[in-house]
Amino acid sequence: MKIKHLLAVFTVILSINSAFSQDKKFKVHTVAFYNFENLFDTINDPDTYDEEYTPVNGWTKKKYKKKLDNLSRVLIELGTSENQKNSPVIIGACEIENRRVLEDLVKHPALINKGYKVVHFDSPDKRGIDVGFLYQEKYFQPTSYINVPLYVYESESATDKKDKKEDEEVEENVNYDKKTKRIYTRDQLLVTGLLDGEEINVIVNHWPSRSGGEKKSSPYREAAGRLNRKIMDSIIKINPKAKFITMGDLNDGAYNKSVKQGIGAKLKKTELKEPRDVYNPFEQMAKDGHASLFYRDSGDIFDQIMVSQQLIPADNNDYSSFKYWKAGIYNKPFLIQKTGQYKGYPLRNQNGVPGFSDHFPVYIYLVKEVK
């Protein structure tokens, strides 16, 4: 399968000849999101379904270390070029077991000099996977952070029961509480902080899976989109000029109802009319045939990063504060399966061998003119 590559080129302070006047210089930061695909330690937690990732089932310390080696290689190279050596200043992550695995990751020899710090809360997900937030303390300083729970409940209609068998990819729904009918899923993590002195709000997401079939599970992701919208609107009421980035593995495409109606994301920058409006650069990428994951030779972009109107320049010359510049999917050759049934797919964990992830990471650039 042919994978389209997006060129990642920037420097911390640079002249952006192709997009801006040559006599202007810009500070550029990368903001990224990555589904780490089952970053579990080797310790059996009796409160979660983590038995698959324990030594008795083959998940050894050596394999855990290899997984950290792989992820750290991606993070240190993500968004870099010959002239730019800095990795993303903000990284949203999902499919992590606990805070410990994030601490192990940022202390990896490849990353430790970057000074990454961790924001993490345990989610009620029964499998024990959470979302997390990594940031380079030199550039970003959190002022507040909170985990916002998503409450969704399973219905029991005859149609739902039928739909539950419609998808061969369905995994056992370990997140379902039979007594309360609640679907226990990941919280949404809201981090507010200062990026080189400018306040920005970041929401990290991992929306409910398509377990039970896309149709049946869609209402859960639609609820997740509405919760995203509610978080943003509540802050905009206090500060109409608030800047937002919302990112995550949404388990839906940019065209799905959860994104288009729940969040209200727009395809084009020109559609943004109000401070609450949100631009999704990954919708056009999907239309153009790019993908962050694949299933049965069909690609899609479930991993997305969206920005609010306040991060879109009013005109091409207004970069007096940080603004959105470009977005991309990081799909370098070393991240791609070279042979076999899944040739062309992301190089994931398989046959007991730690890979990178079954998702490609995504990223955006924020730029600001340096006077």
Side-chain angles (χ1 to χ4, degrees):
M1 178 181 294
K2 182 178 179 181
I3 303 294
K4 297 183 179 180
H5 294 272
L6 298 175
L7 185 63
V9 179
F10 68 81
T11 59
V12 174
I13 298 178
L14 78 166
S15 297
I16 310 176
N17 296 330
S18 61
F20 306 107
S21 172
Q22 293 187 20
D23 61 353
K24 293 183 178 180
K25 292 186 181 295
F26 295 84
K27 177 179 292 186
V28 181
H29 287 312
T30 306
V31 175
F33 176 82
Y34 198 12
N35 180 324
F36 289 163
E37 194 204 4
N38 296 322
L39 179 55
F40 279 74
D41 59 27
T42 60
I43 301 170
N44 187 2
D45 184 343
D47 295 325
T48 63
Y49 294 88
D50 67 347
E51 286 78 8
E52 179 183 357
Y53 290 92
T54 56
V56 70
N57 286 308
W59 189 245
T60 62
K61 289 184 178 180
K62 183 178 180 179
K63 290 182 179 180
Y64 174 56
K65 180 182 180 299
K66 177 61 175 176
K67 180 72 171 183
L68 294 175
D69 290 343
N70 289 346
L71 294 177
S72 63
R73 177 183 177 185
V74 177
L75 297 183
I76 201 67
E77 296 183 21
L78 178 54
T80 62
S81 70
E82 290 183 2
N83 297 318
Q84 160 63 6
K85 304 304 180 183
N86 196 29
S87 52
V89 298
I90 291 173
I91 302 168
C94 75
E95 287 204 21
I96 54 175
E97 183 182 10
N98 49 42
R99 184 183 184 93
R100 182 188 302 113
V101 297
L102 290 180
E103 295 286 1
D104 288 346
L105 181 61
V106 300
K107 292 175 183 175
H108 189 279
L111 294 175
I112 193 167
N113 290 335
K114 294 296 182 179
Y116 280 110
K117 300 297 182 182
V118 173
V119 177
H120 169 269
F121 292 93
D122 286 317
S123 283
D125 183 288
K126 293 293 186 180
R127 189 163 169 261
I129 54 173
D130 310 324
V131 297
F133 184 93
L134 309 179
Y135 63 95
Q136 289 188 30
E137 192 176 30
K138 179 179 178 180
Y139 301 104
F140 183 84
Q141 296 82 42
T143 55
S144 66
Y145 39 86
I146 186 173
N147 58 323
V148 183
L150 173 63
Y151 292 96
V152 290
Y153 298 85
E154 185 175 55
S155 63
E156 291 189 338
S157 69
T159 301
D160 288 340
K161 292 178 180 179
K162 182 179 179 181
D163 289 343
K164 196 167 187 177
K165 300 178 181 180
E166 71 180 18
D167 193 332
E168 294 178 2
E169 193 186 21
V170 173
E171 61 184 4
E172 183 180 4
N173 189 357
V174 298
N175 297 335
Y176 176 56
D177 186 316
K178 293 181 180 180
K179 183 177 181 179
T180 65
K181 296 183 173 58
R182 181 182 172 188
I183 302 293
Y184 286 96
T185 188
R186 280 74 57 176
D187 297 336
Q188 296 183 8
L189 174 59
L190 170 65
V191 180
T192 299
L194 301 177
L195 178 64
D196 283 345
E198 294 185 21
E199 186 174 86
I200 192 166
N201 303 275
V202 182
I203 308 173
V204 185
N205 303 269
H206 186 192
W207 290 0
S209 75
R210 294 189 170 191
S211 177
E214 178 184 353
K215 182 179 178 181
K216 176 186 179 296
S217 60
S218 181
Y220 310 144
R221 294 184 296 281
E222 292 167 29
R226 292 193 298 270
L227 179 59
N228 235 235
R229 182 74 267 169
K230 183 177 180 181
I231 293 170
M232 289 186 278
D233 286 345
S234 64
I235 294 180
I236 288 173
K237 285 182 180 179
I238 300 171
N239 177 15
K241 294 184 178 181
K243 296 180 178 181
F244 280 93
I245 297 174
T246 185
M247 61 168 70
D249 174 2
L250 309 185
N251 277 303
D252 264 342
Y255 50 85
N256 282 114
K257 188 176 179 180
S258 58
V259 180
K260 297 299 290 182
Q261 296 183 26
I263 292 179
K266 310 295 185 183
L267 170 64
K268 300 178 180 179
K269 298 176 188 177
T270 54
E271 297 180 81
L272 306 182
K273 306 299 181 183
E274 303 176 4
R276 71 188 299 274
D277 287 342
V278 173
Y279 169 61
N280 187 355
F282 291 89
E283 183 174 1
Q284 186 59 54
M285 287 188 197
K287 289 177 178 289
D288 292 339
H290 299 285
S292 67
L293 78 166
F294 297 86
Y295 176 63
R296 293 177 178 173
D297 291 332
S298 178
D300 208 333
I301 302 180
F302 286 179
D303 309 272
Q304 300 161 53
I305 304 176
M306 293 167 259
V307 298
S308 64
Q309 185 199 46
Q310 293 295 325
L311 283 168
I312 301 298
D315 58 66
N316 289 334
N317 296 316
D318 180 17
Y319 288 88
S320 56
S321 62
F322 279 110
K323 302 291 184 180
Y324 165 84
W325 178 36
K326 283 186 177 182
I329 301 171
Y330 192 74
N331 50 12
K332 294 293 184 180
F334 73 89
L335 289 171
I336 300 172
Q337 178 72 37
K338 301 299 190 300
T339 60
Q341 179 182 359
Y342 299 111
K343 182 180 179 180
Y345 285 35
L347 183 55
R348 63 180 301 169
N349 303 340
Q350 53 186 319
N351 301 322
V353 179
F356 292 90
S357 174
D358 55 348
H359 295 240
F360 293 128
V362 295
Y363 60 93
I364 65 169
Y365 299 137
L366 298 179
V367 303
K368 177 181 180 179
E369 185 177 356
V370 178
K371 298 293 186 179

